[in-house]
Amino acid sequence: MSPVNYLYLASLLFTIGAAGVLIRRNSIVVFMCVELMLNACNLAFVAFSRMHGNLDGQIMAFFTMVVAAAEVVVGLAIIVMLFRSRHSASVDDASLMKL
Amino acid sequence: MENLIGLLVAAPLLGAAVLLCGGKRLDRAGHWLGTALAAASFVIGVVLFADMLGRDGEERALHSHVFSWIPVEGFQADVAFQLDQLSMTFVLLISGVGTLIHLYSVGYMEHDARRRRFFGYLNLFLAAMLLLVLADNYLLLYAGWEGVGLASYLLIGFWQHKPSAATAAKKAFIVNRVGDMGLSIAIMLMFTTFGTFAFEPVLAGAGETSEGMLTAIGLMLLLAACGKSAQVPLQSWLGDAMEGPTPVSALIHAATMVTAGVYLITRSGAVFNGAPDAQLVVTIVGAVTLIFGAIVGCAKDDIKKALAGSTMSQIGYMVLAAGLGPIGYVFAIMHLVTHGFFKAGLFLGAGSVMHGMNDEVDMRKYGGLRKYMPVTFVTFGLGYLAIIGFPGLSGFWSKDKIIEAAFAKGGTEGWILGGVALLGAAITAYYMTRVMLMTFFGEPRWKRDASGAVAGASPQRPDVEPVAENAADADTAHPATGAAAEPHPHESPKSMTIPMIVLAFGSVFAGGLFSLNSSFVHWLEPVTGHDHGHSPLSAAAVTSATVVVLLTGVALAWAQYGRRPVPVLAPRGSLLTRAARRDLLQDDFNHVALVKPGEYLTRGLVYVDAKAVDGAVNGTAAAFGGLSGRMRKVQNGFVRSYAVSMFGGTAVLIAATLLMRAV
């Protein structure tokens, strides 16, 4: 099976993730969509690693996982605090930054 | 001896500081302190004078360096005094007449609640004037010059509760400002030309400087002199300055302030000698003012304003003489000194009359006062004889010399200037006789008939209603009598009559004393130089002409005001009389020529400021405000819209990268 198909899959997943980030209001879902985009990138990295025959892409994928793990910790903490303070997980409710 | 010079200025300055800062505890004795310090200044002056007489003509000048005022590289301003014969003359006049006026004020201002402050200002006036005449450089002179302006402002507006006094003070200050600008420009020109503004190097260097520069400096100095000495075209403040208490008028007109301009021109003689054009302008200004003031003096019914017109005219004589160059400097100063005596005497006499007449100033409501105020009558009369130049009295000696000098100028100019000076002498005799006759002779026009009205007239002339608006007004020595009661003319207290008597002595004898062996000429010659000129007329001819015009003037006045009774209400009068009553339309002229264009200019500038400047500033602000209002909408606080912009940005970046690679 051609590695190009993996790239198709990766871009499909990335698109789904991006669309989710832009469209969904629930912050948990938005968060998961971000994770989906990260994993789509990982998939692309690994596919390229396979295509070019060196391990750089796989190493990058590990890095991404570590960053993603850290991000999950911080992000979930924020979401939990947000939910506690305003009893809603909607990203549109957290719009205090505007005037 | 040099160290004493500083004390001349320091004594009255100390008085001013103590009196103005001392507070109420000095209210009871402050006026005596002020008088004593003015007298101290006079005594020091006399000591220095005696010392100066002990030395020869050329070595009489004393110099005293007090401290470096502004020491900067290439610019040295010192507080340093120079006492030569010219300064000495002024010092004695200022402190002597000034002390007498202080003494007079003790009586005159007795009922004024702010008397202490008044004496503080008087002392400040003396100090500034002494600083002006003692300075050895133009910058220090300028400091004194400004001090005189300040003190005159404070004193003219001393009764600040009267709006007219407050306005007069402002007018005097602003008109003087124009002259001050001339002086400051002259000083700057001197600095650029000579690199210094000390008298000695400037006056010594004047010989080698181009005539154009000297003319420019001379004209600027003349502008300054016009402001302080109330010469045409800056004369308008002098009449209004009569709003001040009468001793202030005496001080301004006799000893300080108006003499400053004559001093400045005489002191800068070397500059003017090198600039004949500037000298010609000086003589023209003097001649015009001489006639101008005399005509105004003829028409005024207010005794102080008539005297003010006379001052303007007499200062015109001095400026005319000063413009004649070395022929005239000495006589300008001589007339200044004799004028100081008789004009101070006349003003103090006028004050004494007002004091006895419930502050009535309208001469048409005087008449026959010689019986009620004998001392005032005699001293005022001697001053009168002196000012019209009655042979033998002070004014005769000095004025006659000026007329001679004007003729000695030579050529057509000489004839014109001499003719004008003679005409001025005739008009002087006329208006002073008028003042004399209206005040002290004729029927008493202030008496009421049975019905209580003033004999033959309604008392409803708004411009001459005595001020009764403020019972605390100390000049109203008889409070709450106002216009209704009949005045009870009486002689003034001793503190007022003694200075008048002393000044009358000066009015009688000073001129003769100065002319004895030409002593005054020899006294001033080392400083100002002297030149006899070539008069086309012999001295005897000029003198007899002077006496003839003098008698003509007196006779005319007698025919009009002595033989016939003086109407209490002023007749309408000819066009010239009406114009002269309005100061020959000086204020109307200033209003049309300066105030109106100024107003239009201001309005135009306000319009430009509001529309163009503010328009540009506010427009820019509004543009940025509107723009940021639009851009602010992008920041809507929704996370998802930020995400859209991130994605959009990324997409654009990627597209751009691909595009660059493809190209």
Side-chain angles (χ1 to χ4, degrees):
Chain A
M1 197 168 125
S2 160
V4 180
N5 293 331
Y6 292 99
L7 290 183
Y8 288 139
L9 179 62
S11 38
L12 186 67
L13 286 174
F14 188 90
T15 311
I16 291 169
V21 167
L22 293 182
I23 292 167
R24 297 302 299 260
R25 288 207 183 84
N26 191 323
S27 50
I28 299 289
V29 178
V30 170
F31 194 68
M32 290 196 305
C33 288
V34 172
E35 292 297 317
L36 193 60
M37 283 154 71
L38 286 171
N39 283 315
C41 289
N42 276 353
L43 184 58
F45 272 129
V46 175
F48 280 127
S49 173
R50 175 84 183 174
M51 281 162 75
H52 296 299
N54 69 14
L55 293 176
D56 290 0
Q58 297 191 22
I59 291 167
M60 277 314 291
F62 280 118
F63 274 116
T64 311
M65 283 174 207
V66 172
V67 171
E71 182 231 335
V72 167
V73 173
V74 176
L76 274 179
I78 290 175
I79 289 168
V80 168
M81 291 309 293
L82 209 60
F83 185 79
R84 273 193 191 167
S85 64
R86 21 192 101 233
H87 306 288
S88 150
S90 169
V91 286
D92 285 3
D93 285 348
S95 60
L96 287 176
M97 290 286 278
K98 74 170 179 188
L99 278 174
Chain B
M1 275 298 154
E2 284 87 354
N3 299 331
L4 284 179
I5 300 175
L7 284 181
L8 281 172
V9 182
L13 198 60
L14 175 73
V18 169
L19 288 178
L20 294 178
C21 305
K24 286 204 176 119
R25 73 203 86 142
L26 288 173
D27 272 352
R28 271 192 301 156
H31 46 286
W32 289 116
L33 176 70
T35 312
L37 284 168
S41 193
F42 179 63
V43 169
I44 299 167
V46 170
V47 169
L48 284 164
F49 178 61
D51 173 63
M52 185 180 271
L53 282 180
R55 273 169 285 142
D56 280 339
E58 302 293 336
E59 288 142 22
R60 280 179 170 166
L62 286 180
H63 294 268
S64 154
H65 184 272
V66 184
F67 60 91
S68 274
W69 183 14
I70 311 173
V72 184
E73 181 81 36
F75 179 96
Q76 181 73 28
D78 291 333
V79 172
F81 297 124
Q82 170 185 346
L83 184 74
D84 58 7
Q85 290 93 324
L86 181 61
S87 304
M88 193 73 239
T89 313
F90 272 88
V91 165
L92 290 179
L93 176 73
I94 295 163
S95 57
V97 174
T99 306
L100 290 175
I101 291 170
H102 272 75
L103 191 60
Y104 178 91
S105 308
V106 171
Y108 192 85
M109 301 298 281
E110 199 177 350
H111 302 281
D112 199 304
R114 294 161 72 227
R115 177 166 62 170
R116 170 182 57 84
R117 191 175 289 267
F118 182 77
F119 276 82
Y121 293 157
L122 282 187
N123 272 354
L124 181 66
F125 210 154
L126 283 196
M129 193 65 197
L130 287 168
L131 181 66
L132 195 162
V133 299
L134 284 170
D136 95 326
N137 59 65
Y138 281 99
L139 202 67
L140 192 59
L141 180 146
Y142 189 72
W145 190 270
E146 292 297 319
V148 169
L150 168 69
S152 66
Y153 169 79
L154 293 170
L155 283 170
I156 292 169
F158 185 71
W159 286 325
Q160 53 201 207
H161 54 80
K162 286 197 283 180
S164 57
T167 314
K170 276 186 276 182
K171 187 174 179 185
F173 195 74
I174 290 168
V175 174
N176 266 293
R177 215 78 279 230
V178 179
D180 297 348
M181 191 189 64
L183 184 56
S184 60
I185 293 176
I187 294 174
M188 292 176 213
L189 284 177
M190 280 173 199
F191 188 73
T192 53
T193 315
F194 305 104
T196 174
F197 32 67
F199 286 151
E200 262 176 52
V202 168
L203 299 178
E208 294 114 47
T209 313
S210 73
E211 197 186 316
M213 181 50 84
L214 288 182
T215 308
I217 295 177
L219 289 178
M220 284 300 127
L221 289 175
L222 175 65
L223 182 65
C226 281
K228 274 280 176 293
S229 290
Q231 300 293 296
V232 176
L234 298 179
Q235 81 290 8
S236 63
W237 63 270
L238 194 69
D240 291 353
M242 292 301 113
E243 287 294 338
T246 310
V248 174
S249 307
L251 194 59
I252 287 180
H253 287 238
T256 58
M257 189 93 182
V258 295
T259 58
V262 183
Y263 171 79
L264 183 68
I265 296 179
T266 312
R267 175 59 81 195
S268 317
V271 172
F272 284 97
N273 291 345
D277 292 341
Q279 273 188 326
L280 181 65
V281 180
V282 175
T283 54
I284 291 171
V285 165
V288 169
T289 311
L290 152 66
I291 297 296
F292 187 104
I295 291 175
V296 170
C298 289
K300 290 286 184 186
D301 289 331
D302 178 330
I303 185 168
K304 284 173 78 182
K305 291 203 169 163
L307 290 177
S310 130
T311 300
M312 205 189 282
S313 170
Q314 298 302 312
I315 304 281
Y317 269 110
M318 297 168 209
V319 171
L320 168 64
L324 294 171
I327 319 173
Y329 291 136
V330 175
F331 301 127
I333 301 302
M334 183 163 149
H335 193 53
L336 196 153
V337 176
T338 57
H339 175 260
F341 284 117
F342 54 68
K343 186 49 66 63
L346 287 170
F347 263 112
L348 297 189
S352 169
V353 169
M354 286 162 58
H355 198 70
M357 295 290 288
N358 291 2
D359 286 309
E360 178 61 70
V361 291
D362 188 357
M363 292 190 291
R364 293 187 184 276
K365 294 188 183 162
Y366 291 169
L369 291 178
R370 66 181 186 282
K371 280 176 256 165
Y372 301 91
M373 309 178 173
V375 180
T376 308
F377 168 62
V378 171
T379 52
F380 195 93
L382 289 173
Y384 153 73
L385 289 177
I387 194 176
I388 65 171
F390 193 80
L393 275 75
S394 288
F396 167 76
W397 298 106
S398 51
K399 197 188 286 180
D400 188 54
K401 288 288 182 199
I402 291 181
I403 298 175
E404 258 177 56
F407 278 114
K409 171 91 172 161
T412 329
E413 273 173 45
W415 283 103
I416 294 174
L417 293 176
V420 168
L422 269 182
L423 179 64
I427 308 180
T428 306
Y430 173 81
Y431 68 73
M432 282 313 296
T433 312
R434 178 175 172 271
V435 169
M436 197 68 196
L437 290 174
M438 284 173 88
T439 306
F440 291 104
F441 291 89
E443 290 298 306
R445 291 180 298 279
W446 37 269
K447 286 213 165 136
R448 316 269 160 164
D449 54 23
S451 68
V454 173
S458 86
Q460 302 303 323
R461 277 189 60 195
D463 54 332
V464 292
E465 286 277 323
V467 182
E469 59 201 31
N470 191 338
D473 184 349
D475 203 33
T476 313
H478 311 275
T481 48
E486 179 177 305
H488 300 283
H490 55 85
E491 191 53 88
S492 301
K494 282 244 161 46
S495 67
M496 287 166 72
T497 50
I498 289 172
M500 285 152 60
I501 294 168
V502 175
L503 288 168
F505 269 101
S507 322
V508 176
F509 298 114
L513 206 63
F514 291 161
S515 302
L516 210 63
N517 298 329
S518 307
S519 56
F520 199 76
V521 176
H522 295 311
W523 162 252
L524 273 189
E525 207 175 351
V527 183
T528 59
H530 186 61
D531 181 6
H532 286 288
H534 303 287
S535 176
L537 294 172
S538 68
V542 173
T543 306
S544 25
T546 315
V547 175
V548 169
V549 297
L550 158 80
L551 293 177
T552 318
V554 173
L556 275 176
W558 187 76
Q560 204 173 346
Y561 296 97
R563 223 169 35 167
R564 281 176 285 171
V566 180
V568 177
L569 266 192
R572 195 168 145 75
S574 66
L575 203 62
L576 180 65
T577 314
R578 271 178 282 149
R581 265 189 211 134
R582 293 182 61 112
D583 301 301
L584 288 181
L585 306 179
Q586 62 184 14
D587 291 334
D588 306 76
F589 174 78
N590 284 349
H591 194 74
V592 173
L594 301 169
V595 177
K596 277 284 161 197
E599 272 177 18
Y600 288 131
L601 180 67
T602 322
R603 267 182 227 159
L605 287 177
V606 166
Y607 182 80
V608 170
D609 182 51
K611 295 289 168 186
V613 178
D614 284 6
V617 172
N618 292 346
T620 315
F624 275 102
L627 193 63
S628 19
R630 301 261 151 77
M631 286 167 62
R632 201 176 60 196
K633 297 219 170 96
V634 177
Q635 306 288 337
N636 55 11
F638 291 113
V639 176
R640 292 183 298 140
S641 71
Y642 298 140
V644 169
S645 48
M646 260 166 67
F647 280 120
T650 316
V652 168
L653 273 180
I654 291 169
T657 316
L658 291 178
L659 203 66
M660 291 308 288
R661 197 168 280 180
V663 171

